[in-house]
Amino acid sequence: MTSAPDAASPAETSRVAVLQRIPEVGIRRLRDAGLHVDASEREAPLDASERAAVLADATAAVTLLTDRVDDAFLDEAPHLRIVANVAVGFDNVDVAACAARGVVVTNTPGVLTDATADLTLALLLAVTRRVGEGERLIRSGAPWSWGMFMMLGRGLRDRRLGIVGMGAIGTAVAERARAFGMRVAYHNRSAVDAEVADRLGAERLDLDELFATSDVVSLHCPHTPETHHLVDARRLASMRDDAYLVNTARGPVVDEAALVAALDGGQIAGAALDVYENEPEVHPGLVDRDDVVLLPHLGSATIETRDAMSDLAARNVVAVLAGERPITPVAPPAT
Ligand code: GLV
């Protein structure tokens, strides 16, 4: 069968809007598939009129976690078939609204597991060994000399690491923590595979017991209505006063005001945060203290990982626009 002379192929009629700058490997993959790509070069969300212009004809949108994909976004994109979010988290995307319009949502799991787990350990070590505080001392130029009681931290061997959310990243954090001699406990909706639990010596606990008994609590759950402010005043008060909180998941999982109050009250020993409740704002009560370590959302920030995220998002777009199944779809919430 021959097609009508003016019928365009799916690739020719497909326009991919890449809303912020992403590594070139993804753009190349989209173009190699014959897709028309409108790619922003900016490392920030488009302003309203630019976004409306680029979405008007888009059949695919490649978004970052600072792009909000809601009904207003979808109204601007009447031809959209896929939102490929370049992140494992997707709390910036209204997945139910996308599903209602038949728009597939994909994320980038797997490729950022090691980078995020590595950074979690960096934060864990930084907060327990006072790395930031020590560095600030040296850079301040203040006089110092080695001292037996100077800046004492806490060791990790035989301490309990309580992991909230034992998915790929939580499991990779547990593996690394075992190498430091930590004992692993976790909370997850379902039990992890028995072989994995055995290998890691990981004990499944309910949330209250995990918070009350862990020396370090590390968050690896998604941000959903159920996990919003999961770490609140009550949970912080239940922690040991020599325990630490690490968050490389999503800021709003922690009630930041309650965290500041818990630190002020000596209810916990410290916190290490890569993500913030009102990102990029940081609660002013966290900024000037030495018992917290603060990073600017660097979990997946390695060159290799960002390339892999860009490529996976592009592969999802190519698959969906070719009428194939997405590689890493996000399931719409159960109704
Ligand atoms: C980063 O925070 C991500 O969700 O990929």
Side-chain angles (χ1 to χ4, degrees):
M1 194 180 94
T2 53
S3 52
D6 59 350
S9 73
E12 284 160 352
T13 54
S14 294
R15 293 182 84 87
V16 184
V18 180
L19 296 196
Q20 301 192 45
R21 183 166 171 230
I22 61 169
E24 192 52 33
V25 58
I27 304 290
R28 221 178 307 122
R29 184 178 287 280
L30 294 168
R31 294 205 166 116
D32 286 351
L35 300 171
H36 179 95
V37 182
D38 295 313
S40 171
E41 280 299 308
R42 214 171 304 151
E43 293 184 40
L46 295 174
D47 67 32
S49 62
E50 290 169 324
R51 191 181 84 171
V54 83
L55 287 180
D57 296 322
T59 43
V62 177
T63 55
L64 300 195
L65 60 84
T66 46
D67 295 307
R68 181 139 298 284
V69 181
D70 51 13
D71 274 312
F73 181 106
L74 295 168
D75 285 345
E76 290 168 8
H79 308 290
L80 207 60
R81 292 170 55 194
I82 171 171
V83 171
N85 203 43
V86 190
V88 67
F90 49 87
D91 56 341
N92 59 311
V93 180
D94 184 337
V95 180
C98 290
R101 298 176 195 231
V103 175
V104 170
V105 179
T106 62
N107 65 342
T108 60
V111 294
L112 45 68
T113 299
D114 283 336
T116 309
D118 289 350
L119 192 90
T120 303
L121 266 291
L123 281 173
L124 196 162
L125 287 163
V127 72
T128 54
R129 296 300 302 275
R130 304 171 68 168
V131 170
E133 191 183 347
E135 225 236 357
R136 282 190 293 279
L137 173 74
I138 297 292
R139 289 183 189 274
S140 75
W144 68 278
S145 64
W146 186 90
M148 184 65 113
F149 298 98
M150 184 185 175
M151 277 194 192
L152 301 185
R154 286 183 190 272
L156 299 181
R157 181 160 301 280
D158 294 330
R159 305 270 179 217
R160 173 178 270 179
L161 173 64
I163 294 179
V164 180
M166 194 71 160
I169 297 173
T171 304
V173 168
E175 281 164 358
R176 286 154 173 75
R178 291 288 288 168
F180 286 88
M182 296 190 84
R183 293 179 291 116
V184 173
Y186 73 95
H187 175 81
N188 202 53
R189 267 181 311 189
S190 49
V192 300
D193 193 76
E195 180 274 318
V196 175
D198 271 3
R199 179 165 50 84
L200 298 172
E203 190 181 352
R204 186 173 175 209
L205 298 179
D206 70 34
L207 268 183
D208 286 346
E209 190 176 356
L210 181 129
F211 273 82
T213 61
S214 293
D215 298 287
V216 179
V217 173
S218 190
L219 305 177
H220 300 286
C221 54
H223 175 226
T224 64
E226 293 73 42
T227 63
H228 185 81
H229 283 187
L230 177 136
V231 183
D232 58 5
R234 182 183 74 81
R235 287 238 156 81
L236 288 160
S238 76
M239 288 175 72
R240 304 163 48 122
D241 61 9
D242 57 357
Y244 300 87
L245 177 72
V246 179
N247 188 8
T248 54
R250 280 292 183 268
V253 176
V254 177
D255 177 345
E256 252 171 40
L259 174 60
V260 171
L263 289 161
D264 282 343
Q267 286 175 344
I268 64 172
L273 309 175
D274 188 40
V275 288
Y276 302 91
E277 190 171 348
N278 298 306
E279 222 168 286
E281 280 163 41
V282 179
H283 192 294
L286 293 170
V287 175
D288 285 332
R289 32 188 341 133
D290 273 330
D291 52 2
V292 298
V293 178
L294 305 172
L295 291 183
H297 204 148
L298 297 179
S300 65
T302 70
I303 294 167
E304 309 84 327
T305 300
R306 291 285 162 82
D307 278 353
M309 292 165 70
S310 173
D311 194 43
L312 179 52
R315 285 167 55 215
N316 273 303
V317 169
V318 171
V320 168
L321 294 186
E324 291 162 14
R325 290 150 79 97
I327 301 157
T328 49
V330 163
T335 46

